[in-house]
Short mmCIF file of all heavy atoms in Angstrom, two decimals:
data_model
loop_
_atom_site.label_atom_id
_atom_site.label_comp_id
_atom_site.label_asym_id
_atom_site.label_seq_id
_atom_site.Cartn_x
_atom_site.Cartn_y
_atom_site.Cartn_z
N ALA A 20 -2.87 20.41 33.79
CA ALA A 20 -3.86 19.39 33.45
C ALA A 20 -4.02 18.29 34.51
O ALA A 20 -5.06 17.92 34.71
CB ALA A 20 -3.53 18.83 32.04
N ASN A 28 -11.38 14.54 40.55
CA ASN A 28 -11.53 13.30 41.10
C ASN A 28 -11.51 13.21 42.72
O ASN A 28 -11.87 12.16 43.22
CB ASN A 28 -10.57 12.28 40.56
CG ASN A 28 -10.81 12.09 39.08
OD1 ASN A 28 -11.94 12.19 38.59
ND2 ASN A 28 -9.70 11.68 38.36
N LEU A 46 -1.23 28.65 47.86
CA LEU A 46 -2.12 27.51 48.19
C LEU A 46 -3.52 28.06 48.61
O LEU A 46 -4.53 27.58 48.17
CB LEU A 46 -1.59 26.74 49.47
CG LEU A 46 -2.38 25.45 49.82
CD1 LEU A 46 -2.54 24.59 48.65
CD2 LEU A 46 -1.89 24.84 50.94
N LEU A 63 -10.98 22.94 32.90
CA LEU A 63 -10.87 21.96 31.94
C LEU A 63 -11.10 22.40 30.52
O LEU A 63 -10.38 22.06 29.53
CB LEU A 63 -11.76 20.71 32.31
CG LEU A 63 -11.58 19.50 31.56
CD1 LEU A 63 -10.23 18.85 31.75
CD2 LEU A 63 -12.58 18.48 32.00
N LEU A 93 11.50 14.57 -2.70
CA LEU A 93 11.00 13.28 -2.22
C LEU A 93 11.02 12.28 -3.33
O LEU A 93 11.32 11.07 -3.14
CB LEU A 93 9.66 13.42 -1.63
CG LEU A 93 9.46 14.14 -0.29
CD1 LEU A 93 8.08 14.32 0.01
CD2 LEU A 93 10.13 13.41 0.73
N ALA A 111 5.13 17.15 7.21
CA ALA A 111 5.96 16.50 6.29
C ALA A 111 5.37 14.97 6.12
O ALA A 111 5.45 14.47 5.07
CB ALA A 111 7.37 16.47 6.87
N LYS A 117 1.53 11.23 -0.27
CA LYS A 117 0.88 11.57 -1.62
C LYS A 117 1.03 10.28 -2.52
O LYS A 117 2.14 9.63 -2.66
CB LYS A 117 1.49 12.78 -2.24
CG LYS A 117 1.20 14.01 -1.47
CD LYS A 117 1.66 15.25 -2.13
CE LYS A 117 1.25 16.46 -1.32
NZ LYS A 117 1.72 17.62 -1.81
N PHE A 148 3.97 -0.67 -2.95
CA PHE A 148 5.39 -0.61 -2.89
C PHE A 148 5.99 -1.45 -1.76
O PHE A 148 6.86 -2.25 -2.02
CB PHE A 148 5.76 0.83 -2.74
CG PHE A 148 7.30 1.06 -2.61
CD1 PHE A 148 8.09 1.08 -3.73
CD2 PHE A 148 8.06 1.31 -1.35
CE1 PHE A 148 9.52 1.24 -3.67
CE2 PHE A 148 9.24 1.42 -1.28
CZ PHE A 148 10.19 1.34 -2.36
#
Side-chain angles (χ1 to χ4, degrees):
N28 294 330
L46 182 61
L63 190 59
L93 290 176
K117 293 185 178 173
F148 178 78

